[in-house]
Amino acid sequence: MMLFHLLVDPFVQFGFMRRALIACLALSISATPLGVFLLLRRMSLVGDALSHAVLPGAAIGYLISGMSLVAMGVGGFIAGLAVAMLSGVVSRRTQLKEDASFAGFYLGSLALGVTLVSLKGSSVDLLHVLFGSILAIDSHALLMVGSISSVSMIILACIYRALVIESFDALFLRVSSGKWLAVIQGIFLALVVVNLVAGFQILGTLMSVGLMMLPAASARFWGRDLPHTLLIAMLIGMLSSVIGLIWSYYASLPAGPAIVLSANVIFFISVLFGTRGGMLTASRR
């Protein structure tokens, strides 16, 4: 009973903890399936690049409207989508590979965003942009995150079959309906960017990709098929959110890094003990 109270009391007593938990749960449901598909497409580092690419747009929104989450979110979405499209154009029309073109654009985006925030804001504002302020999330930001999560799940359900085919056999999709291949890729990247923008609202640009990729990577060691892997990734994301928030409350740690660290601990446990390719399981066989 005492353990139950220790786990539940922070969320019962404080509204900011409840809002943070709801936002993280919503983001876990919508972002982790995208992380699974990024892993299947061997684009896991692209997610990290896009999380940094939203920074210049968010910084421009900050310069115009201050710490307005709507303005920063819209600016971040435009910047992230622009970097994704430009990287695709460069990789198709030059000899540069897609990962290298993403690296070139996101490094410049990160430096530009930090510079723009520093022009007007203080070091505290810069820390909020880079690492988020999840415990300060208000009802407007919560509504925005919830809306993004809901719309993302609906769109992902609509393109699920085509996305599965494109992830496992892109050549088949290109031959059977080549004109739709670019459309599916564009919609998928747009979903990744908009979920990173939602994660930016609560975890910051440097941490938002953690809740997308770490549960997805952990689920690969437990899932027997794709639907099973998607479900496990969502559950790991939600578990990491709960553990991280409780950990941050009792240990007086920053909430965003605590959530990502919790996801990282689960990842290491999965690497060691996972039933689908974990190190100890493989050594026994």
Side-chain angles (χ1 to χ4, degrees):
M1 183 62 74
M2 184 176 221
L3 178 61
F4 176 79
H5 282 295
L6 286 174
L7 296 177
V8 173
D9 281 351
F11 304 107
V12 172
Q13 295 178 10
F14 301 102
F16 66 88
M17 289 291 288
R18 290 194 297 273
R19 289 192 293 272
L21 178 62
I22 293 171
C24 288
L25 294 180
L27 190 62
S28 298
I29 291 172
S30 64
T32 52
L34 298 174
V36 172
F37 281 109
L38 283 172
L39 287 175
L40 289 176
R41 296 155 61 100
R42 298 182 181 178
M43 295 173 63
S44 53
L45 292 180
V46 170
D48 182 54
L50 289 175
S51 71
H52 295 79
V54 305
L55 186 55
I60 292 173
Y62 168 75
L63 291 176
I64 295 173
S65 304
M67 293 298 288
S68 168
L69 293 179
V70 175
M72 295 172 70
V74 171
F77 175 73
I78 294 173
L81 202 57
V83 167
M85 294 174 64
L86 287 172
S87 299
V89 170
V90 169
S91 63
R92 283 194 301 268
R93 299 194 176 183
T94 67
Q95 296 182 350
L96 201 63
K97 298 294 185 182
E98 190 175 29
D99 57 344
S101 62
F102 264 107
F105 281 108
Y106 101 79
L107 290 171
S109 298
L110 179 62
L112 177 61
V114 171
T115 303
L116 290 174
V117 174
S118 302
L119 288 177
K120 182 181 176 181
S122 63
S123 59
V124 175
D125 294 327
L126 182 60
L127 287 175
H128 283 169
V129 172
L130 293 178
F131 298 103
S133 52
I134 184 172
L135 297 182
I137 189 170
D138 56 15
S139 57
H140 296 291
L142 187 60
L143 181 61
M144 183 176 179
V145 173
S147 301
I148 288 174
S149 176
S150 302
V151 173
S152 295
M153 290 303 294
I154 293 171
I155 296 176
L156 185 61
C158 293
I159 66 170
Y160 177 78
R161 289 175 63 86
L163 195 58
V164 170
I165 295 172
E166 197 271 337
S167 299
F168 287 102
D169 194 354
L171 181 60
F172 173 78
L173 187 62
R174 186 179 294 112
V175 171
S176 59
S177 54
K179 63 181 180 180
W180 291 107
L181 182 60
V183 175
I184 296 300
Q185 290 176 339
I187 294 174
F188 175 71
L189 285 177
L191 288 178
V192 172
V193 171
V194 77
N195 275 270
L196 288 172
V197 168
F200 154 77
Q201 308 291 336
I202 55 179
L203 297 175
T205 57
L206 296 184
M207 293 288 171
S208 59
V209 72
L211 199 57
M212 178 181 287
M213 298 308 306
L214 286 171
S218 302
R220 292 292 299 274
F221 290 99
W222 303 101
R224 62 176 179 269
D225 51 33
L226 182 56
H228 196 213
T229 302
L230 293 173
L231 178 60
I232 291 175
M234 293 181 194
L235 294 175
I236 291 175
M238 290 189 281
L239 179 63
S240 302
S241 301
V242 174
I243 294 174
L245 287 172
I246 294 173
W247 185 17
S248 71
Y249 176 80
Y250 287 110
S252 299
L253 296 173
I259 291 171
V260 177
L261 277 174
S262 301
N264 216 340
V265 170
I266 295 175
F267 170 72
F268 283 123
I269 292 173
S270 301
V271 169
L272 290 174
F273 302 106
T275 57
R276 303 284 172 175
M279 293 176 66
L280 294 181
T281 304
S283 65
R284 273 196 225 105
R285 290 177 181 172

